[in-house]
Amino acid sequence: MYIVQIASECAPVIKAGGLGDVVYGLSREVEERGHCVEIILPKYNNMRYDHIWGLHDAYRDLWVPWYGGSVHCSVFCGWVHGRLCFFIEPHSEDFFFDRGVYYGCDDDVMRFAFFSKAALEFLLKSNKRPNVIHCHDWQTGLIPVMLYEMYQYHGMDNQRVLYTIHNFKHQGFAGSEVLWATGLNRESYYFQYDQLRDNFNPFSLNFMKGGIVYANHINTVSPHHAWEAMHGDAGFGLGHTLHLKSFKFSGILNGIDYATWNPEEDPHIPYDYGISTFEDKALNKKALQEKLLLRACDKPILAFIGRLDDQKGVQLVHHAMYFALSRGAQFVLLGSATDSVINDWFWHEKRYLNENPDIHLELSFNEELAHLIYAGADMMVVPSKFEPCGLTQLISLRYGTVPIVRGVGGLYSTVFDWDYDNEHSREERTGFVFYDSDNYAVESAMNRAIDLYYNEPKLFQQLAMQGMQYDYSWKQSGEEYIKMYSQIRHQ
Ligand code: GLC
């Protein structure tokens, strides 16, 4: 099969979050299984050019229709760690991708509407006819809409679209100008509820809703999140639409890159270990304590790694820090905040706790330290408010670091409670799960984890090793995506 991925991120060249990792990891897996994969991305001026090999112009004069006229673009092509990527560069006074940031501009909807249009125009003009176009998140929600309403009449009538939603919180809201700009026009048609009109704001079009209505199949990144989005409030207002489209909606769990995240061969940790050498994990714990100037002792180390924001349950993270200290445990936090209030708050905490030998807050993004924390910590706290899939718990399991998670989305699909899981036998259980989002809930799960660590160290170790036995690499997820591609291809 010939698959084209269209997205706003691809790690490591463009990465703001898990989306970038998934676009890269999935593409590699699909390619390794013998399929042809190409990736179309915006050419941002701030992307990591040092991760692109052999960048050259691939299509010089791409004229993309935009409002009444057209915008002159160049398309570049290069390899990102073995993946073939095309980068679209518009030459217009809007400077859509020359902003020094990937997201967060007032005209984001216009920037990515343009990108979507340009990506389709590029496929059309360069005679690329993939079997499946796989697009991701709100930024590319208009692709299936334009494909069906316009491009199929220009000769792209054999392309199918899989639309993957990584985060329902960001949907892309725009007014009618986006219809005039892209040439979709027909305002009264698209402003119907069974079209792109937002379910709650009647004056707004919703890109993600467009993606859901028009794609051949839609998925989110874990089975449980698919369920929540339809039946609970995790769809952020799109629940009803998903319900109507449930015949073409499913959940496919993400994988993680087992070449990067492998405690048996990890250049960033001082002592490699696996299930049969689990006792060497303790050496990494010592190294972690030394590196972060924590008191050397046998207290359990709890950790948090991730963005400090509302989605990740920042209030509960804060509570977990102090609760861990009160229970005689150590705590390590690695994360950064884009919100200035949260940023100030955690800097305040960092200064306040500076002299405490049982806690370290590292307020930055530090990949190398992340590896050492996964290897050295005993438990990982993941108290997210919502979590479509989540990568932290998957990495923790791989490193024998027991996850303590809130039972939502992908966390629910991948962590099975040591005491209370009815669907998994004792030997299959992997962590601790709580459900409510208050302090008491996180405390009760942490208590159970810390008690097991102190009172039943052998069982605690068994639990950690049970987690290491699971395979959350891209192997299985890649297979599922390929099945999905071939299913929609024959529709
Ligand atoms: C988003 C979600 C996260 C998921 C990632 C990759 O960042 O918040 O849960 O793991 O996308 O799909």
Side-chain angles (χ1 to χ4, degrees), residues 460-473:
F460 186 86
Q461 181 174 332
Q462 181 190 325
L463 174 61
M465 286 163 63
Q466 282 174 198
M468 294 176 86
Q469 275 156 8
Y470 279 78
D471 183 351
Y472 289 118
S473 67

Side-chain angles (χ1 to χ4, degrees), residues 30 107 188 302 339:
V30 172
D107 59 346
S188 55
L302 282 78
D339 181 296

